[in-house]
Amino acid sequence: MSENQRSSDEADTAPGRKKSVYEYFVAGALGLMALGQWGDTKDVIVEAWRLTLSNFTHQYEYQALDRINVGSNLRYIKNLIGEPQLIKTSKYNDEISFAYYLKEKYILTLIVEENRVSAYTITSLIDDFVPHRLLTKTATDDKTSIADNYGTIEDFTLDFNNIEYLLVKEELGKEKLFVNNYFGAISYGVEVQLPSEELREIYNTLNMDETSSEALTKVRQLTTRAINNFYGAGENDLSVIADSVLTNFEYSLYYKK
């Protein structure tokens, strides 16, 4: 045996070499196929493929989220993606509830009225997770800031107390059945370029004048710098969307941060 071949064999059998999870799935699938267990083999292959997509891309998650639409029945959504990890009732309207799917890469929030999804939002928890456009289900362009995403701000809201966030609403008109787009930045342990002092300054300006053009100008300027990690679509006012946002305490509690 040549020295090169011996070195190669030793490298393959060395205790320090670890097989990937995917390799174990493939090995298991081949073993089951040898035993004629096609049904089990198919399940293993599907799971291996899902795991590979999730580990190296976000395609699996994007495809799952593409199944959700404004107007969907909550029971239908549960059949598609399972039970939510958390359900809350709106602080301001007992007829509105929020269902949360707390994933490693994102938070999916369903705004539910009479078992119907009237709006839903997706908050990205990692830098490169950018879901498909919620209404057209097409891939999103490289749009980094909040301002890159909206056309016109119809409403905005912000907070800096228990969590820093800035959310804006864009109305789409009758051609889109009066559904709204929601965009924004929420600082769940990620850098989204939302200085607390700037949010406080805008908040104080609005306290003195709710229709302040100065505050709107400052918000527009901030949206050009704030990193967009919040996406939503629906029929609700922005106040309802803001009510659905988890506080820093809730986020830390459920994600064990």
Side-chain angles (χ1 to χ4, degrees):
M1 180 183 293
S2 69
E3 188 64 30
N4 288 340
Q5 185 177 353
R6 184 182 299 110
S7 297
S8 177
D9 291 344
E10 288 173 353
D12 287 342
T13 57
R17 183 181 185 274
K18 295 182 180 179
K19 288 187 176 182
S20 68
V21 175
Y22 181 68
E23 287 178 299
Y24 281 114
F25 269 118
V26 172
L30 292 175
L32 288 170
M33 288 178 68
L35 294 173
Q37 300 296 322
W38 168 243
D40 292 337
T41 303
K42 182 175 66 174
D43 292 341
V44 169
I45 292 173
V46 169
E47 180 63 16
W49 180 245
R50 185 203 67 77
L51 184 64
T52 302
L53 281 178
S54 186
N55 281 341
F56 297 103
T57 76
H58 304 314
Q59 197 60 34
Y60 176 81
E61 288 83 358
Y62 294 162
Q63 290 174 354
L65 292 170
D66 283 349
R67 298 178 176 183
I68 302 168
N69 290 289
V70 176
S72 293
N73 183 279
L74 180 59
R75 187 176 304 166
Y76 168 76
I77 298 296
K78 289 180 178 179
N79 287 336
L80 287 176
I81 60 176
E83 294 288 334
Q85 284 78 31
L86 173 67
I87 296 177
K88 291 171 49 179
T89 301
S90 167
K91 295 190 294 287
Y92 310 110
N93 189 336
D94 291 340
E95 296 181 357
I96 297 177
S97 61
F98 310 127
Y100 300 87
Y101 292 81
L102 309 173
K103 305 297 184 179
E104 181 181 356
K105 299 178 181 180
Y106 64 89
I107 298 173
L108 167 65
T109 305
L110 308 180
I111 290 80
V112 181
E113 301 180 57
E114 297 182 349
N115 209 41
R116 177 182 177 273
V117 176
S118 59
Y120 71 102
T121 66
I122 300 167
T123 306
S124 173
L125 301 180
I126 57 177
D127 291 339
D128 64 341
F129 188 86
V130 182
H132 295 164
R133 294 184 181 92
L134 274 55
L135 295 178
T136 63
K137 314 302 182 185
T138 56
T140 303
D141 299 330
D142 185 17
K143 296 182 176 180
T144 303
S145 72
I146 298 174
D148 289 334
N149 288 278
Y150 68 80
T152 304
I153 295 179
E154 304 295 340
D155 194 10
F156 68 87
T157 186
L158 55 87
D159 196 3
F160 60 89
N161 291 303
N162 54 46
I163 187 171
E164 292 89 12
Y165 68 71
L166 172 61
L167 310 179
V168 303
K169 182 182 81 169
E170 176 186 36
E171 296 178 358
L172 298 180
K174 63 181 180 180
E175 68 276 7
K176 295 291 180 65
L177 301 178
F178 297 102
V179 172
N180 307 306
N181 273 330
Y182 313 103
F183 300 107
I186 303 180
S187 59
Y188 286 138
V190 293
E191 179 52 58
V192 290
Q193 305 291 334
L194 276 183
S196 184
E197 60 274 14
E198 289 191 45
L199 294 174
R200 183 190 300 272
E201 182 180 348
I202 296 171
Y203 184 88
N204 289 336
T205 301
L206 290 171
N207 269 343
M208 293 184 290
D209 179 6
E210 291 184 356
T211 61
S212 169
S213 59
E214 178 187 357
L216 179 57
T217 298
K218 290 180 178 179
V219 165
R220 285 176 175 155
Q221 292 172 348
L222 188 53
T223 63
T224 64
R225 291 180 276 117
I227 298 172
N228 199 114
N229 70 334
F230 179 88
Y231 312 82
E235 304 161 348
N236 299 91
D237 290 337
L238 193 58
S239 59
V240 176
I241 304 301
D243 186 23
S244 73
V245 173
L246 292 178
T247 66
N248 252 333
F249 174 76
E250 291 171 324
Y251 171 77
S252 300
L253 178 65
Y254 297 116
Y255 277 91
K256 310 301 180 188
K257 299 289 187 180

